[in-house]
Amino acid sequence: MKKYIIYAMTAFFAMIAVSIAAPDKDAMMAKEKAAWQAFKDKKSDDFKTLLSADFMGVYSDGVQTLQKELDTMQKWDMKSFSFSDFNLVMPDADTATLTYKVMVEGTSEGKDASGTYNAGSVWRKHNGEWHAVFHTNTKEEKSGSQ
């Protein structure tokens, strides 16, 4: 009987450890939305706290470091954004890969940049904190048949 209690307690604590260690889909979506909101609101300090110092972004106009991302923020006038089709894959307990669509309304350098973008981010947990280490997005193109 004592052996079964030990097994049950071990399983119980293992389940607790796993549930604490791995974020759920809603928690990661909230982190991603917080990054978008800080970018939209041009809150550089808030944005930087969510990104890793060695952050990299890949876009149609090139590869960006954290500093270039901050510079790009100032060129945007984002009115709104909304997520759909949000997915989370956890390759390990400290890495979260997110994919989703984001509908954006706004301008970049005075040009309309509104539309639906296919987006992806990689978040990494370091010293108990989650930070985005990679992001990419590509604007959906309408097919010729539409």
Side-chain angles (χ1 to χ4, degrees), residues 49-144:
T49 64
L50 295 166
L51 275 60
S52 172
D54 57 355
F55 170 86
M56 297 300 292
V58 177
Y59 309 99
S60 61
D61 60 345
V63 176
Q64 295 193 164
T65 61
L66 175 57
Q67 185 57 54
K68 286 183 181 177
E69 195 83 0
L70 292 168
D71 295 343
T72 298
M73 177 190 300
Q74 301 310 314
K75 298 174 185 178
W76 267 87
D77 182 19
M78 192 180 303
K79 302 292 183 198
S80 66
F81 68 90
S82 62
F83 291 171
S84 64
D85 302 332
F86 194 88
N87 292 298
L88 168 66
V89 174
M90 299 284 301
D92 61 52
D94 295 330
T95 308
T97 304
L98 316 174
T99 59
Y100 55 96
K101 290 183 183 288
V102 59
M103 185 97 143
V104 174
E105 182 184 346
T107 60
S108 176
E109 297 182 320
K111 297 177 186 169
D112 185 28
S114 301
T116 301
Y117 291 76
N118 295 309
S121 295
V122 177
W123 290 72
R124 187 86 177 133
K125 188 175 180 183
H126 180 69
N127 292 333
E129 297 288 328
W130 287 95
H131 294 97
V133 295
F134 177 81
H135 179 76
T136 187
N137 61 60
T138 304
K139 191 172 184 180
E140 284 188 349
E141 295 183 19
K142 296 185 182 207
S143 65

